Amino acid sequence: MGFSDPGAGQGDSRVLAERMLAAVAHRGPDGSGWCHHGGVTLAHCALTFVDPLGGRQPFVSASGATALVLNGEIYNHAGLRDELRAWGVHPRSDSDTEVLVELYERLGMRVLERVRGMFAFVLHDARTGSTVLARDPMGKKPLYYTRVPAGLAFASELTALLRHPDAPRTPDVRALADYLVLQAFPAPGSAVAGVHKVRPGSYVEYAQGARREVEYWQPVLGRADAAAAAGHQPLGNTRRVPGTREAAERFEALFRAAVARRVTSTDRRLGVLLSGGLDSSAVAAVAQELSPHAPVPTFSAGFEHPDFDESAHAEAVARHLGTEHHVVRIGGRDLAEVVESEYAHADEPLADPSLLPTRIVCRAARRQVRGVLTGDGADELLLGYRYFQAERAIAALLRIMPAPRLEALVKVLVRRLPARTGNLPVTAALRQLARGLRSTPEHRFYLSTAPFVPAELPGLLRPEVRAELAGHDPFAEIFRLLDGQPRLTGVQRSQLAVITHFLRDVILTKTDRGGMRSSLELRAPFLDLDLVEYGNSLPTGLKLRRFTGKYLLRRISAPWLPQQIVRRTKLGFRPPLAALLRNELRPLLLDTLSAPALERGGLFDAGVVRGLTDDHLSGRRDTSRRLWSLLTYQLWYEGLAAGSGPTAPHARLALTEETHRAR
């Protein structure tokens, strides 16, 4: 984090740095530091994996011209350090941060083409007077910024940024509309007007009062364009489509290399979050084979509610692989405790309830390790969600019957199927699907999963708020990426839409927040850039074979895992939200969404919200997804209005000061 600071060296700079860092102390318990560099104050709190002494941040280049703070890890730092030595550079440490800053001085922002990892970093270049803020291609690490009178202020979390005295604090109503549809606040917006997030795969350069945004990477689907983006060469005048065996061998090699990068780039022992599904089981299998610290510790959630509990599958995988397995038992009271203790101080509202068990499992894992691998990204990369299978079925059915008739057929099926309360039962899935049948593929996923569809927002929001939404489109970012790829199939359009927001803004926000609140780093091998680009270059048939998703992954993992795991249908990682709101969270729900509380907020129509609450608590219908999005937002909003932060009032950091003058 940091801020433009023309008055370098003044005592107020240290006080402000301490105040902002205290808000994110959970992200780095291994020490902290700050420095002035050419009119910018930079500060950092460390969660170290390589060279904790030599890599202390902020890190200043050997020339003194560049200072940098890095959140995350550069996995290929050892190979890049060898390149620096070949250029005559004599590294002073084994730190990945030093590699990044020294490469920048030689390559400029082309350094982003060379690094592999998960990162958000800010650097100040005294040679040009520029400040650069950058995020990795998938957006695994967050980075917020805002304009202040002196220039810029920036931080890894919104809560830290809001401790700058000149940061804005007014909720952004248009971004709220995005949140109510997309479950998160998509970059480049945020929950606060005037505060921005750096887009994934982009960097923002600020110099002499001017701001410039550069998108250096974006997801490209389809054989020709994606193959070119991934560096694969054509055969003659056409792109050769690999056969199944060749594709599987290449995918396996890239997957194994991705796991190896993450377990061998540090001497620290790493674990695996093991759900019992195919994705995390495949990661655990390769990590167990490649890790220098085997047996690998694995961690899974065990829910009291049997419809949501996958722990038996996870234990079966752990026994098969020989990992050191830990089951974290989670009841309704455990889930409610996370909401009651943390959500008023959350970084930014997130309507994905799986953050609750993620937080609990990460907290338990942190007692054993400081980093874990996850299976995140496989469903988006390899078309593993049921919605991709449904998209293929919808396309086939719409060729033989009009949308209204298909919609009527689905509604008949919903009425005839028995009700069930489990983890995305068939009835609920069909009901959700029916909401998006008349839409385009890139809309269908979101309209079937959204807490509220755009047409419902005018009725939910108060008139004065509603007026601010004129002309606003929550899907603008999806269209921006689709514009450059006009020949995608329906499944590909759906996939790109899911990557754009659900993966980047929901899943990766959840994993970063769930882990870093416990000072635990989560690493996702399936989101290794080389693996992502190869997966994107493959035809759909090698990822979704008929109606079987993740076809290549099932093929390569068959020798590693029990067959019942390889063949398993995806269940999903969800808590029993409907029951939680009716029971353990009922008092909090009624208090937070009461008419007086909503009137104070001035955003939501209290009568509409009361109807949703009454319907759910009486059992007339399940409105839990809608109530959850409103509850989490209102808790955050009340915390914002009260000026509360995410840490206890006494939390402070002992900063180590290093003042550098650019040479």
Side-chain angles (χ1 to χ4, degrees), residues 300-325:
S300 65
F303 290 107
E304 288 180 352
H305 198 304
D307 283 344
F308 295 80
D309 186 29
E310 292 186 274
S311 61
H313 299 288
E315 290 180 86
V317 173
R319 285 194 302 272
H320 181 83
L321 298 177
T323 67
E324 175 194 307
H325 193 55

Side-chain angles (χ1 to χ4, degrees), residues 183 272-280 299-305 307-314 325-331 335 338 343 350-365 372 374-376 379-380 384-387 422-425 502 506-507 510-511 514-515 522 550 568-577 625 628:
Q183 305 182 67
V272 177
L273 296 188
L274 180 61
S275 69
L278 173 64
D279 312 338
S280 61
F299 307 89
S300 65
F303 290 107
E304 288 180 352
H305 198 304
D307 283 344
F308 295 80
D309 186 29
E310 292 186 274
S311 61
H313 299 288
H325 193 55
H326 307 266
V327 179
V328 183
R329 298 296 173 187
I330 300 175
L335 296 166
V338 175
Y343 269 62
L350 181 69
D352 182 357
S354 66
L355 174 60
L356 296 177
T358 299
R359 172 77 173 96
I360 293 170
V361 174
C362 287
R363 187 166 56 196
V372 292
T374 77
D376 293 312
D379 286 308
E380 294 82 6
Y385 290 127
R386 292 175 183 170
Y387 293 99
N423 192 343
L424 197 61
F502 189 67
V506 179
I507 298 298
K510 175 195 71 176
T511 56
L522 275 60
K550 296 184 285 197
R568 274 195 74 202
T569 300
K570 181 176 179 63
L571 180 60
F573 186 57
R574 297 179 181 88
L577 181 62
R625 292 177 65 83
W628 181 249

Side-chain angles (χ1 to χ4, degrees), residues 43-383:
H44 181 264
C45 53
L47 178 64
T48 57
F49 287 86
V50 291
D51 197 359
L53 294 179
R56 286 173 57 184
Q57 299 186 46
F59 199 101
V60 179
S61 63
S63 71
T66 307
L68 181 143
V69 284
L70 166 68
N71 175 23
E73 303 292 327
I74 306 300
Y75 299 131
N76 61 334
H77 65 89
L80 295 174
R81 188 177 296 106
D82 289 340
E83 291 187 29
L84 284 172
R85 290 192 181 101
W87 293 344
V89 178
H90 301 287
R92 297 165 284 160
S93 72
D94 293 325
S95 162
D96 55 346
T97 311
E98 180 181 19
V99 168
L100 185 59
V101 74
E102 296 297 344
L103 276 178
Y104 164 77
E105 288 206 343
R106 287 149 184 84
L107 300 176
M109 295 312 296
R110 287 184 295 124
V111 67
L112 294 168
E113 302 169 7
R114 305 296 308 282
V115 296
R116 293 292 182 267
M118 60 174 185
F119 55 83
F121 67 80
V122 178
L123 64 84
H124 179 255
D125 188 338
R127 299 171 300 183
T128 61
S130 61
T131 301
V132 178
L133 298 77
R135 285 181 80 189
D136 68 71
M138 301 309 297
K140 301 168 194 171
K141 288 295 179 183
L143 184 51
Y144 296 82
Y145 69 97
T146 189
R147 295 288 293 266
V148 294
L152 281 185
F154 44 88
S156 292
E157 294 189 10
L158 181 59
T159 46
L161 189 63
L162 295 183
R163 293 193 175 190
H164 192 289
D166 296 319
R169 299 184 63 85
T170 303
D172 189 326
V173 173
R174 294 166 78 87
L176 170 60
D178 293 341
Y179 163 80
L180 293 170
V181 174
L182 302 171
Q183 305 182 67
F185 290 86
S190 83
V192 173
V195 174
H196 311 282
K197 290 194 283 279
V198 178
R199 280 188 173 100
S202 299
Y203 66 87
V204 172
E205 184 177 41
Y206 178 82
Q208 299 177 341
R211 184 185 73 92
R212 180 173 73 104
E213 181 182 12
V214 177
E215 188 171 31
Y216 68 89
W217 189 90
Q218 64 174 234
V220 178
L221 301 178
R223 291 195 302 272
D225 290 340
H232 304 303
Q233 297 300 314
L235 186 64
N237 294 323
T238 60
R239 299 285 179 185
R240 184 174 62 85
V241 179
T244 301
R245 180 175 178 179
E246 178 188 348
E249 289 175 351
R250 179 63 176 154
F251 188 86
E252 179 177 354
L254 290 170
F255 175 57
R256 294 174 70 86
V259 175
R261 277 177 177 160
R262 285 150 182 80
V263 300
T264 62
S265 63
T266 175
D267 292 332
R268 304 282 193 179
R269 187 185 191 213
L270 300 178
V272 177
L273 296 188
L274 180 61
S275 69
L278 173 64
D279 312 338
S280 61
S281 298
V283 170
V286 178
Q288 175 75 348
E289 177 186 344
L290 300 181
S291 173
H293 302 290
V296 167
T298 50
F299 307 89
S300 65
F303 290 107
E304 288 180 352
H305 198 304
D307 283 344
F308 295 80
D309 186 29
E310 292 186 274
S311 61
H313 299 288
E315 290 180 86
V317 173
R319 285 194 302 272
H320 181 83
L321 298 177
T323 67
E324 175 194 307
H325 193 55
H326 307 266
V327 179
V328 183
R329 298 296 173 187
I330 300 175
R333 187 64 254 164
D334 302 306
L335 296 166
E337 184 276 329
V338 175
V339 180
E340 293 165 353
S341 65
E342 296 191 14
Y343 269 62
H345 314 296
D347 179 42
E348 201 176 35
L350 181 69
D352 182 357
S354 66
L355 174 60
L356 296 177
T358 299
R359 172 77 173 96
I360 293 170
V361 174
C362 287
R363 187 166 56 196
R366 185 59 175 89
R367 301 187 188 108
Q368 308 289 330
V369 296
R370 60 175 52 211
V372 292
L373 276 61
T374 77
D376 293 312
D379 286 308
E380 294 82 6
L381 179 65
L382 296 173
L383 303 177

Side-chain angles (χ1 to χ4, degrees), residues 462 591-592 594-603 634 637-638:
R462 292 166 65 101
D591 181 59
T592 306
S594 66
L598 295 177
E599 289 292 336
R600 288 194 302 271
L603 295 172
Q634 192 67 15
Y637 179 84
E638 290 178 355

Side-chain angles (χ1 to χ4, degrees), residues 301-620:
F303 290 107
E304 288 180 352
H305 198 304
D307 283 344
F308 295 80
D309 186 29
E310 292 186 274
S311 61
H313 299 288
E315 290 180 86
V317 173
R319 285 194 302 272
H320 181 83
L321 298 177
T323 67
E324 175 194 307
H325 193 55
H326 307 266
V327 179
V328 183
R329 298 296 173 187
I330 300 175
R333 187 64 254 164
D334 302 306
L335 296 166
E337 184 276 329
V338 175
V339 180
E340 293 165 353
S341 65
E342 296 191 14
Y343 269 62
H345 314 296
D347 179 42
E348 201 176 35
L350 181 69
D352 182 357
S354 66
L355 174 60
L356 296 177
T358 299
R359 172 77 173 96
I360 293 170
V361 174
C362 287
R363 187 166 56 196
R366 185 59 175 89
R367 301 187 188 108
Q368 308 289 330
V369 296
R370 60 175 52 211
V372 292
L373 276 61
T374 77
D376 293 312
D379 286 308
E380 294 82 6
L381 179 65
L382 296 173
L383 303 177
Y385 290 127
R386 292 175 183 170
Y387 293 99
F388 294 129
Q389 301 165 32
E391 186 59 52
R392 173 162 281 182
I394 288 169
L397 290 170
L398 287 177
R399 285 196 290 268
I400 60 176
M401 68 175 71
R405 184 178 172 190
L406 179 57
E407 188 176 38
L409 177 62
V410 170
K411 289 180 179 178
V412 170
L413 288 174
V414 169
R415 287 196 298 269
R416 292 184 178 180
L417 286 170
R420 182 169 167 266
T421 61
N423 192 343
L424 197 61
V426 171
T427 307
L430 285 172
R431 186 178 294 112
Q432 290 177 7
L433 181 61
R435 297 170 71 184
L437 277 176
R438 300 195 193 193
S439 304
T440 58
E442 59 270 20
H443 284 160
R444 197 141 39 216
F445 173 84
Y446 290 105
L447 296 181
S448 64
T449 59
F452 298 90
V453 299
E456 294 171 322
L457 297 183
L460 174 68
L461 299 171
R462 292 166 65 101
E464 60 271 26
V465 177
R466 190 186 315 153
E468 296 186 40
L469 300 182
H472 181 65
D473 183 2
F475 301 108
E477 189 72 2
I478 293 173
F479 284 131
R480 187 182 71 84
L481 292 177
L482 283 171
D483 273 349
Q485 303 179 61
R487 298 180 181 177
L488 298 182
T489 66
V491 171
Q492 288 174 323
R493 293 177 74 88
S494 178
Q495 181 183 12
L496 187 62
V498 169
I499 290 170
T500 301
H501 289 314
F502 189 67
L503 174 61
R504 288 170 151 185
D505 296 313
V506 179
I507 298 298
L508 293 180
T509 297
K510 175 195 71 176
T511 56
D512 178 78
R513 190 175 302 166
M516 295 309 294
R517 284 294 294 175
S518 300
S519 304
L520 182 78
E521 184 176 276
L522 275 60
R523 302 181 172 193
F526 285 110
L527 296 179
D528 184 273
L529 187 58
D530 293 342
L531 186 63
V532 167
E533 289 189 330
Y534 184 70
N536 286 350
S537 75
L538 294 173
T540 299
L542 287 174
K543 294 177 278 192
L544 180 61
R545 178 66 59 95
R546 299 184 181 89
F547 293 100
T548 299
K550 296 184 285 197
Y551 174 74
L552 282 184
L553 181 59
R554 295 181 195 277
R555 182 182 174 105
I556 68 171
S557 61
W560 314 335
L561 300 171
Q563 283 306 296
Q564 66 269 27
I565 300 299
V566 175
R567 294 192 297 264
R568 274 195 74 202
T569 300
K570 181 176 179 63
L571 180 60
F573 186 57
R574 297 179 181 88
L577 181 62
L580 189 66
L581 291 173
R582 290 191 181 109
N583 298 293
E584 290 87 355
L585 287 179
R586 184 187 186 108
L588 181 68
L589 178 72
L590 290 172
D591 181 59
T592 306
L593 298 185
S594 66
L598 295 177
E599 289 292 336
R600 288 194 302 271
L603 295 172
F604 302 112
D605 185 297
V608 173
V609 176
R610 177 61 183 269
L612 295 172
T613 304
D614 289 347
D615 281 353
H616 188 74
L617 295 182
S618 68
R620 283 192 295 269

